[in-house]
Amino acid sequence: MKSYLLVLLAVCLYAFPLHAQDGGAYSASRVIFDERLQSALSEGWMDDDEANHLREVYEAYLHKPLSVNEANLDDLKDLPFLSEYKALKLLQYRTEHRGIIEDVSQLKEIADWDDDLCILLAPLLDFSRPLQRQKAFNLSDWLSEGKSRATLLSSYTHSPDKSNRYLGSPEALSLLYQWNNHKNISLALAVQKDAYEPWQYHKYTGFDSYHGHLAFKRIGPLKQLIIGQYRASWGEGLIINQRSSFYQPMDYALQVREGFSPIRGTSEQRFSQGLALELSLTKHLSISALSSWRRIDGAINPETLEASAISENSLHREEQSLSRKWQVPLNHYGLQCALTYKRFRLSVQSLYTDFGKYYVAHPPRSGASLQLRNLNRFIVSSLSAKFDSPNHGLQVASELACTIQGAAAFSLRSLIHIKQSELMLNTYVLSPNYWSFFAHGPAHMSAINDVVGGHIGVSIPLRQFRLSADAELFQRGLGQESQQRYMGYYLNGTLAYSFNRNTQVNLRLSERSNQRERINRAKVTFIKQTNRLHSSLSLQSAYDRSKSLDDVSFATNITLRYDCNQDWHVFASSTYYRTPYWSERLYLMPVELSQEYSSALLYGNGFLCSLGTNYAWGKHIKLGFRASHCFSRNIHERNTFVALQLTYH
C-alpha cells in the first residue's frame, strides 16, 4: 500500500497525448469524436464496449499518427468514423496530386470530405513526406523506426454506498505499454484493476485483467499475424463481428470492417485470444484463419455440466460475480477464403465454437427459441459478396449465413453517393433459430434472431447546413407461434449548422418504439472555439410516453478548456441531470484521461462537476490530473473521483 501511495504522490498533473499538432486542433478533434460517441451510446447504436474500442483506436492513432501519404485503403479504413468511400476519395486525391498531401487544408479539398471529418482526423494523420527506404532489410533501422509509449493511470473513488456493497478497495490501477513500428509490427501489454474489485479472491490474485498482443503486418505474402488478443470481423457480421456496430445511422456510417485488429487497451469484452492469420496466396486470392481459447463468466452445475448466466462481464466486485469469474471455456476456430478484384469481393467463411465439456442452458441473446438451448458446440458458415462501382458512387454488400441446425440469416446493405449526399439502405432477415456468439443483430434488439426489418439513412450537406436522417422498421417474431411478436421502429434526425469556422450548433431528435417502451429524445449542442478557449454547451432530454410529463429526463452540460500554451491546458465541466426512470437514462462523454474508456451514465438526480489540468514536461513525459464529484440526495449516486496519470513516450 505504501508503494501505491508513492505512485499517487509522484503523479500530480493530467496529460492528454498531444503531438505535433497544436492543442486547439486536438481539442476540436476530441470534441467531435466524443460527441459522435455520446450520441451513438444514447441512441443505442453502440454499447459501451464498442465505444471503448473506438476510443482505443483513437488514442492509438494519436500516439502513432498514420502517414497520409503512404497509407493504403486497409490502413485508412481503420481510422475512426472514416467510411471506405471517403477513404477511396482520399486515395484518388492523393494520386491526382502526385502522392503528396502536405497539410490539413488539403483535406478539405477532397471530394465529399466535410469540415467536421477533416477536423476529427487531422491529429490522427502524419503529413510528412514519404521516406526513401532502403531495399535491403536492416534490423537496426527497422527497430529505430518504432515508437513506444508507457502509461500509468491511477484513480480513487470515494462512494459510501459502493464501499458497503462491494468487496474490493476503491483504488483502480492500469498500466499500458505500446510499441509500434512504422507499418510492420506492434506490441502492447496491459494490466488493470478496476475500482472495488478485490486484489485477492480465493484462487485469483493480482490484477483483474491482463492484455497483450504481438502483431505483424505486410511482410511478404503475410498480410497480418496477431498473437494474443484481437478482434475479428468477416462479411457483414452475421457470423462474427467484434469490432463496430452492425447497423448505424448516417452520422456513424462505419462500414463493417473485415479483418483482424489487435487489442490496444484494456477492454474485457468482445475479443478473441489466440492466433489470427491472413495470407495472400495470389494477387486476388487470400485466406484468413483464427483460433481462440479464452474463458468467460458463468455459473457451473458440476453434476449436469450445465452452464448458465453466461456473460463477458468486465466487473467482478461482488461475491456472486466473483464466483462466476472465468468459469466457462469459450473456444472458436474460423477459416475464410476470399477472392478480390478491383471492384468485387467474394468470400466464404465458417466458424466453429464450443464451450468445452459444458452445455450452455440459455445462450446469451438467443431469444425465446427452444432449439437454442443446452448448446455445447455449433457451426455457422456464410457466403458474402461486395461490389463497388467504378466511380465509387454505389456500394452493395450482402451476406447469407446458415447454421448446422438449419437456421439462416440474410443481410443486404447498399450505399449510394450523389455528389456529397449519401443514401444508405439496409434489409435483414434472421430466422428464429439463428444464432452465433459474436454476431451483431439489428439495432435496439436484445436478441439477434426471429426478426425481419429494414433501415434507410440519408445525409445531405447544404452549404453551412448538414442534414442527416434515419428510419428503421422491424417485425419481431416471424411466426404466429412466436412468444414475442410485435413491430418496432426507430426515427432519428440531425441538423448541424456552422455559423463560421469556430461556431457550430447541432440538433438531434429521435423516437424509439417497441413492445416495452416508446422513448423520445432530444439533444442540442452549441460549440464555440477561439485560439485558446474551447467551450461547449449541451442540453439533452428523454421522455417515456408511458410516464407523465412531470417525469421527463433532462440534463445540461457545460465544458470549458483553456490552452495556456502548447504544453499546458486546464479544463472544467459541470452537469446537472434529472433522470427518474431507467428507460430515460442519458449518457455523457466527460473529459477524461487517455486510457479511461467509459461514459458517464446519468441516472437519478444530481449535479456532477469536474476539473483538471495537463502538462507536457519536456519532449517525453506528460503528467495529468482529473477530479470530479457528484452531489445528490441519494447516497448511491454520491461519489468523489480522482485520477492521476503519467505517460512516457
Side-chain angles (χ1 to χ4, degrees), residues 105-121:
S105 63
Q106 285 185 268
L107 294 180
K108 299 182 179 181
E109 300 175 5
I110 301 175
D112 300 335
W113 277 51
D114 55 59
D115 288 347
D116 279 359
L117 182 63
C118 297
I119 295 171
L120 169 65
L121 297 182

Side-chain angles (χ1 to χ4, degrees), residues 34-54:
D34 286 346
E35 173 68 22
R36 294 190 177 189
L37 251 64
Q38 180 180 330
S39 297
L41 281 167
S42 62
E43 303 302 339
W45 296 106
M46 287 185 186
D47 58 29
D48 281 325
D49 189 63
E50 291 165 337
N52 292 346
H53 171 54
L54 281 183

Side-chain angles (χ1 to χ4, degrees), residues 43 70 161 164 169-170 175 267 270 281 291 310 385 428 430 450 469 477 534 543 545 550 555 614 625:
E43 303 302 339
E70 295 182 287
D161 177 62
N164 294 331
S169 60
L175 179 61
S267 180
R270 299 193 66 81
L281 300 182
S291 62
I310 296 295
Y428 51 86
L430 295 98
D450 201 17
H534 184 98
Y543 173 48
R545 293 193 184 182
D550 296 334
N614 74 83
F625 166 82

